[in-house]
Amino acid sequence: PALARAASQALSAALVRRGGLVGGRWVETAAAFPVQDPATGEELGRVSDCGAAEAREAVRAAHTAGAAWGRLPAKERSARLRRWYELMVENKEELARIITAENGKPLKEAQGEIVYSASFLEWFAEEARRIYGDVIPASAKDRRVLVLKQPVGVAAIITPWNFPSAMITRKVGAALAAGCTVVVKPAEDTPLSALALGELANQAGIPAGAYNVVPCSRQQTAAVGEVLCTDPLVSKISFTGSTATGKILLKHAAGTVKRVSMELGGHAPFIVFDSANVDQAVAGALASKYRNSGQTCVCTNRFLVQKGIHDEFVEKFAKAIEKELHVGNGFDAKTTQGPLINEKAVEKVEKHIKDAVSQGASIVTGGKRHSLGKNFFEPTLLSNVTTKMLCTQEETFGPLAPVIRFETEAEAVAIANAANVGLAGYFYSQDPAQIWRVAEQLEVGMVGVNEGIISSVECPFGGVKESGLGREGSKYGIDEYLEIKYVCFGGL
């Protein structure tokens, strides 16, 4: 506790902001809501509880700023995004400490997130200068046909708590590069990261109104979300979060037919075939499952292991969990597994384990809350798991690894594809023909072949089925914020 208290108190005063950011001004509201350290329950401070009025004000500020920002030469937008990137790198340690304090993830992981987060500003600073149009051969000799790409307008950015910095820059970097302006609504658990980014955006010369932040409590979330999704001045919505919430936002967006991109829930399968290198598969499984204590949308949620190597994999996986994973406060250098975000998240893990055990699953290691506190849970491995258990039917979002034994490739692919979502999928195999077959057959937006960590700024991130719409990052990510305009010159 003393370690956590000292660490959280050492957050950079220059970057910790308590008010919303609207039109370049820090806005204080009459009400405020607490931000807590999930490891200790300690209150880190209180943040302005913005409501519908502040959200509307932020939308109008973004709309007002949009005309000038959109007309700015791409080279100038690029330079300001680049400066924002440089400031993030210069303040990496302070930004990482904010993440660990409000999110709980180990400091080393938080530092990694800041590097990853900053990389999107660097990438889209470069992509800003590569928004190319077209000249199309006309069907008549007295015409010339042009295609222009123009910013869609104001973008509402709604982000989750599990990557409180990276989920913002992956969206905002693309939007600003395209010439759009943004209003960010961060998760109520982790607003300090979004506000710290706002401070650095101001320092980088991002114009007033181009980057706005409206933090709010859980009680105000619905009202703020409705404004961002229905205001006619908002042209685009980008959301990362649960499939259930995404469907609500889609209904709101339908009223004014807004452009929408969504990265929703996952239920990632991790298939280990008999031909796999088991040691490599175990290393990949550990990285894929337990990063951020299992609280990522691309975390493996169910392991499918072929019968020939099933027992060896489970044994080695259990040993790796017990040897390499260390539960603790994120500010402790030894920690690899921080707390879950709140007690509700812990209760869901417990519910999934209880259901599985009641149906015949075996706890190989872990299985209960950790003695450190109510939000800590032991990394858990289950065997003798079936597809009828809750943990294989819905996303756990916690440190639980259920293992299903299978016999044939076709069986594994069928189980993997039975979900109504399809974000990421992983498999290990040394058979080239099988690699091609399975990679093409998995109904997901991203596939890791003999690799458990696949996110990269250069690569398109997104899912199929009920895992979402559109792609983020990569050269494709900027297209989400651009309209295509056809111009016909006649009478030539």
Side-chain angles (χ1 to χ4, degrees):
L3 170 71
R5 194 157 44 248
S8 60
Q9 288 172 352
L11 298 182
S12 170
L15 292 182
V16 174
R17 293 289 182 171
R18 309 295 185 187
L21 179 59
V22 177
R25 298 179 296 106
W26 294 105
V27 176
E28 301 286 344
T29 57
F33 66 99
V35 180
Q36 294 177 322
D37 181 342
T40 64
E42 175 192 359
E43 186 174 302
L44 300 171
R46 300 180 77 83
V47 171
S48 290
D49 194 4
C50 295
E54 289 78 19
R56 282 191 289 269
E57 185 183 353
V59 168
R60 275 141 191 77
H63 183 260
T64 300
W69 179 251
R71 287 197 301 265
L72 207 62
K75 183 177 181 180
E76 181 62 26
R77 291 200 302 272
S78 174
R80 301 202 190 181
L81 283 170
R82 177 78 192 188
R83 181 56 187 146
W84 195 6
Y85 155 76
E86 291 169 348
L87 287 170
M88 283 195 70
V89 173
E90 291 170 16
N91 290 274
K92 182 182 79 170
E93 297 302 323
E94 291 82 359
L95 291 169
R97 295 179 81 83
I98 291 173
I99 290 177
T100 296
E102 66 178 349
N103 168 281
K105 69 175 59 176
L107 187 59
K108 186 176 180 180
E109 278 193 33
Q111 291 164 344
E113 179 180 342
I114 294 302
V115 172
Y116 178 58
S117 178
S119 73
F120 286 104
L121 299 182
E122 179 186 37
W123 175 266
F124 285 113
E126 296 162 353
E127 289 298 293
R129 303 181 67 179
R130 300 186 179 93
I131 301 173
Y132 301 124
D134 254 325
V135 178
I136 298 174
S139 56
K141 64 181 180 181
D142 64 342
R143 295 181 181 180
R144 297 295 181 269
V145 176
L146 306 179
V147 173
L148 310 178
K149 292 184 179 180
Q150 296 180 314
V152 299
V154 176
I157 307 296
I158 303 174
T159 58
W161 50 263
N162 58 339
F163 286 90
S165 179
M167 295 301 95
I168 292 174
T169 58
R170 192 162 72 186
K171 300 171 187 293
V172 170
L176 293 179
C180 299
T181 53
V182 301
V183 179
V184 177
K185 193 213 84 70
E188 60 272 12
D189 297 293
T190 56
L192 298 179
S193 292
L195 296 170
L197 289 176
E199 171 60 30
L200 295 181
N202 287 347
Q203 293 179 26
I206 303 298
Y211 178 87
N212 304 275
V213 185
V214 283
C216 65
S217 64
R218 186 170 277 103
Q219 290 72 28
Q220 292 277 27
T221 290
V224 170
E226 184 171 351
V227 168
L228 297 182
C229 293
T230 60
D231 193 304
L233 294 182
V234 174
S235 300
K236 161 78 181 185
I237 300 165
S238 181
F239 169 71
T240 296
S242 72
T243 297
T245 301
K247 290 178 179 180
I248 294 170
L249 300 184
L250 279 169
K251 289 179 181 178
H252 284 317
T256 47
V257 195
K258 299 188 191 303
R259 285 275 295 275
V260 174
S261 56
M262 295 201 167
E263 190 258 286
L264 306 177
H267 189 37
F270 188 110
I271 307 171
V272 187
F273 292 103
D274 281 343
S275 67
N277 180 311
V278 175
D279 291 333
Q280 287 182 0
V282 167
L286 203 69
S288 175
K289 174 68 254 184
Y290 293 107
R291 185 164 58 111
N292 198 21
S293 298
Q295 299 175 113
T296 89
C297 50
V298 293
C299 272
T300 296
N301 204 64
R302 53 215 163 111
F303 290 87
L304 314 174
V305 184
Q306 201 159 12
K307 63 177 183 178
I309 58 168
H310 174 276
D311 293 350
E312 179 186 1
F313 175 85
V314 170
E315 181 183 352
K316 288 185 173 181
F317 195 14
K319 288 181 179 177
I321 291 168
E322 293 164 359
K323 178 183 177 182
E324 299 184 34
L325 301 184
H326 304 281
V327 178
N329 188 291
F331 287 109
D332 188 329
K334 297 182 297 183
T335 296
T336 65
Q337 303 288 286
L340 274 66
I341 191 65
N342 53 41
E343 193 167 12
K344 185 178 178 181
V346 174
E347 289 170 355
K348 186 174 185 181
V349 178
E350 289 179 322
K351 177 183 176 182
H352 280 192
I353 293 172
K354 182 179 179 181
D355 171 80
V357 171
S358 73
Q359 296 188 60
S362 302
I363 298 174
V364 181
T365 188
K368 61 184 186 299
R369 296 193 189 207
H370 196 278
S371 58
L372 277 174
K374 66 179 182 179
N375 291 341
F376 291 90
F377 203 90
E378 296 177 344
T380 301
L381 176 61
L382 299 180
S383 64
N384 300 320
V385 172
T386 72
T387 57
K388 294 181 180 180
M389 298 172 183
L390 270 180
C391 60
T392 63
Q393 295 177 354
E394 60 184 37
E395 190 175 27
T396 304
F397 229 65
L400 171 60
V403 179
I404 302 169
R405 185 196 303 260
F406 73 90
E407 294 193 6
T408 67
E409 176 186 310
E411 179 190 0
V413 171
I415 293 172
N417 289 343
N420 62 355
V421 292
L423 189 57
Y426 311 87
F427 70 92
Y428 277 69
S429 170
Q430 298 295 314
D431 180 341
Q434 183 176 63
I435 287 172
W436 278 111
R437 287 194 305 270
V438 176
E440 292 177 350
Q441 290 173 25
L442 284 179
E443 296 172 357
V444 296
M446 301 172 285
V447 180
V449 183
N450 297 323
E451 180 57 62
I453 300 292
I454 58 175
S455 299
S456 171
V457 65
E458 300 86 359
C459 304
F461 192 103
V464 300
K465 299 196 273 191
E466 293 188 20
S467 278
L469 303 164
R471 294 295 181 268
E472 295 184 337
S474 80
K475 69 176 184 179
Y476 304 103
I478 202 166
D479 291 340
E480 302 287 339
Y481 299 90
L482 293 168
E483 293 283 14
I484 292 176
K485 178 183 284 185
Y486 150 52
V487 180
C488 178
F489 280 81
L492 301 178

